[in-house]
């Protein structure tokens, strides 16, 4: 009971949740996860129709939930609600995501085009397999300090994968030596496989290592990975003081990290208000051309979108034309503007980048 309670607390303060919880556009991840969990609960109780309806509602919130039925097909037969499903039932669950994908490509033939540009694919030298390491790392670890970027940027991705191998091997050896029940083996493997299945819609997309951008991709897939990790910890340390101490330390670390990341989103929100007020004070009811606005503050989005709507709702100019955006690391960072009647030149501090 205590381990389960601490596991729930750990999910609440996972460092990868700040974008989904603090950013208004991240509410789709929360809704999809809640409906997906509700659908899973209904399925475990044998209420298949209710499970499918909740799953469809979750997909309407965010399509990353589309592969959830394939994860259901991996649930061990020893669990309640799964014994009545034979091979045909599992194949039907596997077919649901494929059928949905076929329908989406039929009605939106260009849906996959966005996966090949716009910075959506993993960076140069990173394969989807190596990108998987990013997903696992960022599920449990907050954004790395930006000071490490120069030291890590030149390292080959394979080195990061090689560094993770000894850690994974040690955990596997310890887990096997404890000789857990076969049912625990099957459950952990099913949860890890479910993590991979839920990652399929986003496996070609990158999650930032040094800020919070795109960590919302981990909200739903991170659930089975977290559960598998909790089961391994309890298996290795038992359900006594050691397991509780490990989980409590993880909860405390996650809480501190969440407070820090949430404060960053609050600063980005105040910057939004300040920028909107500044634009309102400059306009006279006509259109306004803006040379540059911050896209994000250390990964916390400022005005990635919605600036026109924010100004219009406040009774400002009819239209705001934004010529460029860039990532900033501090509201105190200086920018230099050289303008003449025919052109304008903007210089941003080293380390920052245009979006």
């Amino acid at each position: 009971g205590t381990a389960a309670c601490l596991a729930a607390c750990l999910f609440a303060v996972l460092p990868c949740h700040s974008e989904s919880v603090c950013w208004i556009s991240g509410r789709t991840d929360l809704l999809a996860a809640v409906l997906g969990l509700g659908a899973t609960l209904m399925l475990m109780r044998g209420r298949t129709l209710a499970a499918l309806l909740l799953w469809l509602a979750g997909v309407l919130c965010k399509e990353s939930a589309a592969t959830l039925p394939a994860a259901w097909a991996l649930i061990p037969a020893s669990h309640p609600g799964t014994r009545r499903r034979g091979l045909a039932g599992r194949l039907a669950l596997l077919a649901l995501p494929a059928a949905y994908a076929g329908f989406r490509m039929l009605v939106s033939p260009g849906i996959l085009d966005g996966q090949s540009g716009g910075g959506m694919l993993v960076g140069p030298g990173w394969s989807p397999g190596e990108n998987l390491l990013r997903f696992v790392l960022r599920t449990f670890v907050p954004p790395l300090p930006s000071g490490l970027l120069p030291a890590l940027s030149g390292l080959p991705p394979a080195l990061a994968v090689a560094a993770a191998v000894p850690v994974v091997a040690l955990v596997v050896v310890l887990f096997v030596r404890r000789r857990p029940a076969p049912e625990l083996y099957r459950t952990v493997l099913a949860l890890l496989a479910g993590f991979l299945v839920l990652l399929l819609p986003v496996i070609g997309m990158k999650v930032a290592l040094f800020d919070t951008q795109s960590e919302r991709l981990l909200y739903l897939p991170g659930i089975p990975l977290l559960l598998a990790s909790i089961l391994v910890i309890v298996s290795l340390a038992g359900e006594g003081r050691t397991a509780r101490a490990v989980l409590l330390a993880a909860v405390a670390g996650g809480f501190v990290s969440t407070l820090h990341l949430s404060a960053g989103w609050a600063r980005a929100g105040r910057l939004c208000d300040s920028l909107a007020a500044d634009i309102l004070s400059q306009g006279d009811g006509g259109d306004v051309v803006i040379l540059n606005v911050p896209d994000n503050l250390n990964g916390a989005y400022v005005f990635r979108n919605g600036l026109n709507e924010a100004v219009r709702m406040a009774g400002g100019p009819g239209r705001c034309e934004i010529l460029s955006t860039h990532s900033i690391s501090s509201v105190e960072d200086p920018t230099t503007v050289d303008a003449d009647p025919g052109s304008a030149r903007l210089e941003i501090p080293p380390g920052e980048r245009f979006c």
Side-chain angles (χ1 to χ4, degrees):
T2 304
C5 179
L6 289 174
C9 293
L10 180 58
F11 174 76
V13 297
L14 275 182
C16 66
H17 286 177
S18 68
E19 187 180 51
S20 295
V21 174
C22 297
W23 189 33
I24 186 62
S25 296
R27 66 191 184 279
T28 56
D29 300 280
L30 307 181
L31 292 171
V34 168
L35 292 168
L37 288 174
T40 304
L41 181 62
M42 291 296 101
L43 187 83
M44 300 291 285
R45 293 180 175 179
R47 301 174 61 180
T48 305
L49 179 59
L52 292 177
L53 291 175
L54 286 173
W55 167 67
L56 286 173
V59 172
L60 290 175
C61 292
K62 189 155 188 175
E63 288 186 312
S64 58
T67 57
L68 184 59
W72 293 343
L74 302 172
I75 298 176
S78 58
H79 283 264
T82 63
R83 294 170 183 163
R84 290 177 292 177
R85 286 199 308 272
L87 178 61
R90 293 180 183 273
L91 291 176
L93 290 176
L94 289 172
L96 282 174
Y100 178 79
F103 169 76
R104 285 291 281 120
M105 286 187 286
L106 179 64
V107 299
S108 303
I111 190 173
L112 297 180
D113 294 345
Q115 299 295 318
S116 59
M120 300 302 289
L121 294 181
V122 296
W126 282 87
S127 68
E130 290 160 337
N131 197 41
L132 177 63
L133 180 63
R134 284 188 178 216
F135 283 106
V136 175
L137 177 68
R138 284 291 283 111
T139 298
F140 301 105
V141 178
L144 301 177
S146 57
L148 295 177
L149 181 58
L152 298 179
S153 59
L155 297 178
L159 184 61
V161 176
V165 169
V167 178
V168 175
L170 177 62
V171 172
V172 171
V173 169
L174 292 175
F175 184 65
V176 171
R177 290 192 63 180
R178 295 285 297 187
R179 296 184 179 181
E183 183 178 344
L184 183 59
Y185 269 121
R186 290 192 291 268
T187 302
V188 170
L189 290 176
L191 288 170
L192 293 177
F195 168 68
L196 297 176
V197 167
L198 293 175
L199 275 182
L200 286 177
V202 298
I203 192 61
M205 304 171 75
K206 60 183 179 183
V207 174
L209 291 178
F210 297 92
D211 57 44
T212 59
Q213 292 188 77
S214 296
E215 65 182 19
R216 65 188 182 280
L217 304 176
L218 296 168
Y219 196 85
L220 181 59
I223 295 174
L225 181 60
L226 174 65
L227 292 175
S229 302
I230 297 299
L231 287 177
V232 171
I233 291 173
V234 172
S235 173
L236 295 179
E239 297 189 19
R241 294 181 178 178
T242 302
R244 289 196 292 268
V246 171
L247 293 176
L248 188 59
V251 170
F255 180 74
V256 173
S257 174
T258 298
L259 285 180
H260 173 70
L261 294 173
S262 299
W265 282 94
R267 288 192 294 271
R270 290 192 293 270
L271 183 55
C272 286
D273 293 338
S274 175
L275 288 171
D278 186 45
I279 294 171
L280 289 173
S281 67
Q282 300 296 325
D284 57 359
D287 294 344
V288 174
V289 177
I290 303 172
L291 179 60
N292 182 268
V293 295
D295 174 86
N296 66 84
L297 173 62
N298 288 321
Y301 300 120
V302 180
F303 272 124
R304 170 149 293 191
N305 47 43
L307 178 57
N308 279 312
E309 291 78 3
V311 173
R312 186 166 58 249
M313 290 174 63
R319 178 175 175 80
C320 298
E321 185 70 27
I322 303 170
L323 301 184
S324 66
T325 62
H326 79 284
S327 300
I328 64 174
S329 56
S330 170
V331 295
E332 305 297 332
D333 288 348
T335 57
T336 303
V337 179
D338 294 323
D340 57 48
S343 64
R345 175 183 174 85
L346 173 70
E347 293 185 6
I348 60 177
E352 297 184 356
R353 63 190 187 278
F354 287 100
C355 301

